[in-house]
Amino acid sequence: MNTETVTSYIPHLPTPLAVALCALPVVYAYTSSRQKKALPPGPKPLPLIGNVLDVPREAAWKVFKEWGHQYGDMIFLHTLGKPMLIVNSADIAFDLLDKRSGLYSFRPQFAMANEVIGWKFSLTSMDYSEKSKRQRKYMASYFAKARLPDYYPVQVREAHQMLNEILDDPNDYRNAIRRNAAGVTMMITYGHRVKSKDDEFIAIADKGVATIEAAGAVGAHIVDFVPWLRFIPDWFPGAGIKRLPPGTRENLQAFLHVPFDQVKKRMAAGTAIPCYTTKLLEQTKGQDDEGVLGTAALVYSGGMDTTMSAIFTAFTLIVANPLIQARIQAELDLVVGKDRLPDFSDRPRLPYLQCVISEALRWGASTPVGVPHRTSQDDVYRGYLIPKDTTILANQYAMLHDERVYPDPARFNPDRFLEGEGRTPQQDPRDIAFGFGRRICPGKDIAENTMWITIACMFYAFKITSELDKEGNPLPVDLEYEEFSVRHPKPFKAIIKPRHDTTVDLIRAGNEA
Ligand code: HEM
């Protein structure tokens, strides 16, 4: 399954906007005591159907950003008996989701995805609780900053293999980049080496991740609003309301169990490669296999498509801006020299490349509305009531393209983050792009490292341009996105050539090391 077709339903980001798009809307009813406080502004709801017709079906984050000019940075919508607050500014997101995270760390619940298909195992769909805290701890300990150097060798090896694959078939560069990211994920999670893009475990994982598609627009199913309907057996007349494409549940179960069971077998045989799953199984001593299995699957389902999106944004923008590419390469040549490929030890001496990575995370806004949060109690903020059970959409796209914070936001300009010589770098986009508070992305640093080594190796080794016109000039790169809950820049044909005579030998030698 091609990832691009899967992105709209990545379970990590369960098409949150669909909440506002579905049938059976009911305008939220407020108790008289709450009515004393005003709700934040927003488009006027219609009787019965609330704001359902107001919410655009495509790239709603862009429209929400525009609405900000009319309603401000907090926009309230009435949908399906579930109120929704769109937050357009980072300052408000920090105030609510970080500083008041005790009230803002639940998740909205979607019965079709969670109960009927089976995604309730996923930390992303769990309310803040002892269970979710425990699972976050598993991930936080394994992906803690101090442990990240342990994973450098895997990330470097996979990046080197990617360079070889691109040398062999430059036209298939996207699959080489994808195999590289999948290779890192599978090795770190299950100790499984991905040798080719046709790897069996990747096929199982992709099919598993794709099962969330069966939820359609999450919220588009009646079980999302009448959750007890999920208990009706499939044979019961009318149970078609929750019928799934054949194989959906099985594919999800295979994704959860096949790689996990293999690790267990290898552990029993003493042949397991140390990885997330072995470490957590040893640590939990059979007391929480479900938590280990679920969080292991989340490393793939939550981390793959998002990391790919960020890498492809950086790749596309660097190719689209030849001067930026030349600057990256000049910096790499100076620091790395001509006799080896880049390594993590070079990173502190490559400040411009770091600015490019940060700017790609900003510009691409991979997860434009993050993963929705939900309030566990009523709150009052800036004089407005934010009722209990309000779904909070942090509009990261609007925050990362906020002209008050990032002047000329549509321009890809890594210089915004340069330090020194009297400069004041603009707000670090990593504080926004990975979410907020108690639910902040636990994979943010490992994701950035995979992105960094991939881009460093790619542009150290290759000069990359877009297709040429008849006069031999590069054609402009299409900078449009496929707009899903994980956004991807559109694929384009690139011309990829080794930069120096010696580069081919370096790449081939890198693969053998
Ligand atoms: C560039 C890559 C990535 C981006 C942009 C990204 C973004 C995000 C965002 C915005 C959230 C929601 C945070 C919130 O609720 O406020 C999130 C949650 C999460 N991410 Fe990532 N992520 C990336 C990579 C990864 C990786 C590599 C992993 C696994 C190692 C991962 C695992 C998770 C998990 C498990 C959650 C749910 C946390 C929870 O619900 O408590 N992500 N991510």
Side-chain angles (χ1 to χ4, degrees):
M1 168 85 55
N2 174 339
T3 32
E4 268 83 66
T5 62
V6 173
T7 50
S8 58
Y9 301 108
I10 186 127
H12 174 209
L13 306 157
T15 41
L17 297 172
V19 174
L21 299 177
C22 44
L24 298 182
V26 182
V27 177
Y28 192 79
Y30 300 97
T31 63
S32 54
S33 64
R34 286 153 150 201
Q35 278 169 348
K36 288 179 199 144
K37 288 268 176 253
L39 295 166
K44 199 162 180 267
L46 291 172
L48 291 176
I49 63 165
N51 295 113
V52 164
L53 301 179
D54 294 316
V55 180
R57 283 177 180 265
E58 277 177 30
W61 33 93
K62 293 187 172 175
V63 180
F64 294 155
K65 179 177 186 303
E66 291 312 306
W67 284 0
H69 298 300
Q70 194 177 347
Y71 302 111
D73 289 331
M74 288 198 290
I75 303 168
F76 195 85
L77 297 174
H78 301 258
T79 55
L80 308 160
K82 296 182 182 182
M84 182 187 287
L85 180 72
I86 294 150
V87 175
N88 271 340
S89 96
D91 285 345
I92 296 179
F94 296 143
D95 277 351
L96 300 182
L97 305 180
D98 282 345
K99 293 188 192 141
R100 300 186 188 186
S101 63
L103 302 183
Y104 285 82
S105 295
F106 277 19
R107 297 285 194 204
Q109 297 300 313
F110 303 103
M112 185 67 183
N114 295 350
E115 304 290 344
V116 178
I117 301 177
W119 278 94
K120 73 174 172 198
F121 77 86
S122 169
L123 170 60
T124 49
S125 64
M126 280 177 212
D127 281 342
Y128 197 69
S129 60
E130 285 311 312
K131 187 173 173 185
S132 73
K133 276 198 265 182
R134 188 169 63 241
Q135 296 200 1
R136 282 191 62 90
K137 243 188 222 157
Y138 295 163
M139 301 190 87
S141 65
Y142 201 75
F143 296 111
K145 271 208 158 115
R147 292 208 61 174
L148 296 183
D150 296 351
Y151 316 130
Y152 289 168
V154 173
Q155 289 168 306
V156 168
R157 183 185 65 203
E158 296 299 339
H160 288 181
Q161 184 175 333
M162 171 194 75
L163 296 181
N164 272 275
E165 288 162 354
I166 294 175
L167 263 190
D168 293 340
D169 186 358
N171 291 330
D172 200 25
Y173 73 90
R174 288 180 72 85
N175 271 326
I177 295 176
R178 184 169 151 66
R179 194 222 48 78
N180 157 47
V184 171
T185 309
M186 285 291 179
M187 179 51 73
I188 288 177
T189 315
Y190 299 113
H192 169 72
R193 183 86 207 267
V194 174
K195 296 212 170 104
S196 86
K197 60 181 191 304
D198 305 317
D199 180 83
E200 184 202 356
F201 276 19
I202 295 192
I204 291 172
D206 285 346
K207 268 195 192 169
V209 171
T211 59
I212 197 75
E213 285 184 29
V218 174
H221 294 268
I222 193 165
V223 287
D224 283 335
F225 310 105
V226 191
W228 58 264
L229 284 175
R230 70 183 184 275
F231 297 119
I232 295 180
D234 284 348
W235 50 263
F236 195 82
I241 49 177
K242 64 183 187 68
R243 195 158 290 147
L244 298 170
T248 301
R249 290 192 191 102
E250 293 76 4
N251 287 344
L252 180 56
Q253 290 308 311
F255 166 47
L256 289 169
H257 288 278
V258 172
F260 180 80
D261 291 348
Q262 196 193 70
V263 175
K264 279 190 115 178
K265 265 191 218 141
R266 286 187 179 159
M267 283 174 82
T271 57
I273 296 176
C275 59
Y276 177 87
T277 308
T278 58
K279 176 166 187 288
L280 266 299
L281 281 174
E282 281 158 10
Q283 194 178 305
T284 53
K285 299 188 175 69
Q287 298 303 301
D288 188 17
D289 279 16
E290 184 204 330
V292 179
L293 166 147
T295 50
L298 252 191
V299 178
Y300 191 91
S301 63
M304 254 301 284
D305 205 32
T306 44
T307 307
M308 291 300 302
S309 158
I311 292 174
F312 281 132
T313 290
F315 179 89
T316 306
L317 270 297
I318 296 169
V319 175
N321 290 280
L323 288 178
I324 291 177
Q325 185 174 157
R327 240 171 115 179
I328 295 170
Q329 287 163 340
E331 189 184 62
L332 280 164
D333 288 349
L334 196 69
V335 172
V336 179
K338 297 259 157 62
D339 304 329
R340 62 181 179 87
L341 296 170
D343 196 272
F344 282 100
S345 62
D346 300 314
R347 195 166 180 182
R349 287 171 297 142
L350 294 165
Y352 185 70
L353 179 58
Q354 186 55 52
C355 294
V356 172
I357 298 291
S358 297
E359 178 66 340
L361 286 167
R362 182 196 72 81
W363 204 91
S366 298
T367 54
V369 284
V371 182
H373 291 222
R374 177 168 68 90
T375 48
S376 48
Q377 283 175 38
D378 282 1
D379 189 24
V380 174
Y381 178 70
R382 296 190 180 176
Y384 293 117
L385 171 70
I386 300 170
K388 177 174 187 286
D389 286 332
T390 300
T391 294
I392 311 288
L393 279 193
N395 188 355
Q396 293 175 196
Y397 175 85
M399 297 173 201
L400 294 166
H401 287 254
D402 185 338
E403 37 285 282
R404 297 165 296 185
V405 182
Y406 303 109
D408 197 4
R411 185 163 160 235
F412 187 78
N413 175 20
D415 284 11
R416 333 173 165 266
F417 306 115
L418 277 179
E419 292 180 30
E421 293 169 25
R423 296 189 187 93
T424 311
Q426 294 171 19
Q427 161 102 49
D428 189 335
R430 293 172 295 186
D431 297 342
I432 299 167
F434 293 104
F436 304 92
R438 297 184 189 184
R439 305 311 293 256
I440 195 167
C441 175
K444 63 188 178 47
D445 297 311
I446 186 113
E448 196 188 332
N449 287 356
T450 301
M451 187 182 173
W452 185 88
I453 193 74
T454 302
I455 295 297
C457 284
M458 178 85 80
F459 288 94
Y460 175 84
F462 300 119
K463 177 165 189 223
I464 309 181
T465 58
S466 53
E467 271 192 299
L468 306 180
D469 65 15
K470 283 184 196 136
E471 280 78 47
N473 301 313
L475 291 162
V477 177
D478 179 1
L479 297 179
E480 289 301 308
Y481 272 65
E482 288 166 349
E483 296 284 2
F484 297 112
S485 47
V486 178
R487 312 170 74 223
H488 283 261
K490 291 200 169 146
F492 66 99
K493 202 159 179 298
I495 300 177
I496 304 184
K497 300 230 164 92
R499 286 183 59 225
H500 305 291
D501 296 344
T502 52
T503 317
V504 175
D505 292 342
L506 277 184
I507 293 175
R508 295 300 186 206
N511 207 32
E512 285 150 20

